[in-house]
């Protein structure tokens, strides 16, 4: 799964206060949300690259992504190539 992010104007990441103060989200999901916000537009990440740069395993990362999706902090879109196969 690739993750495409918006472009940032400076070296600081802004994280929405609702994510950080949401009592229904784990610290793991909040941290992953903050990390994702630190990347610039059109920067593509994969689950493998997130796992490589973390001590968390793939199951833990997937769980945090699912939490962010359930809280509407992360949206996943699937696109198809010309042959109709999912590419993202």
């Amino acid at each position: 799964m690739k993750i495409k992010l918006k472009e940032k104007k400076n070296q600081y990441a802004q994280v929405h206060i609702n994510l950080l103060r949401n009592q229904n989200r784990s610290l793991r999901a909040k941290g992953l949300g903050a990390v994702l916000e630190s990347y610039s537009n059109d920067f593509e990440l994969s689950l493998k690259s997130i796992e490589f740069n973390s001590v968390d395993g793939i199951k833990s990362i997937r769980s945090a992504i699912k939490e962010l999706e359930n809280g509407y902090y992360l949206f996943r879109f699937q696109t198809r190539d010309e042959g109709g196969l999912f590419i993202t």
Side-chain angles (χ1 to χ4, degrees), residues 3-32:
I3 300 170
K4 198 168 187 175
L5 304 163
K6 296 186 217 172
E7 183 178 357
K8 300 289 185 266
K9 304 269 189 242
N10 55 42
Q11 295 299 312
Y12 298 95
Q14 291 184 341
V15 181
H16 202 283
I17 197 82
N18 288 345
L19 171 61
L20 296 178
R21 294 192 180 161
N22 189 327
Q23 296 176 347
N24 297 319
R25 301 291 152 237
S26 68
L27 287 174
R28 179 181 54 233
K30 292 174 184 182
L32 180 58

Side-chain angles (χ1 to χ4, degrees), residues 16-71:
H16 202 283
I17 197 82
N18 288 345
L19 171 61
L20 296 178
R21 294 192 180 161
N22 189 327
Q23 296 176 347
N24 297 319
R25 301 291 152 237
S26 68
L27 287 174
R28 179 181 54 233
K30 292 174 184 182
L32 180 58
V35 168
L36 293 176
E37 285 293 331
S38 73
Y39 290 99
S40 62
N41 270 6
D42 300 326
F43 191 88
E44 291 188 10
L45 288 169
S46 67
L47 288 176
K48 287 284 188 196
S49 66
I50 295 170
E51 180 185 21
F52 180 76
N53 291 300
S54 171
V55 297
D56 291 322
I58 196 73
K59 287 182 179 182
S60 175
I61 294 167
R62 281 191 177 136
S63 172
I65 286 175
K66 182 69 98 178
E67 243 186 279
L68 292 172
E69 285 179 323
N70 290 341

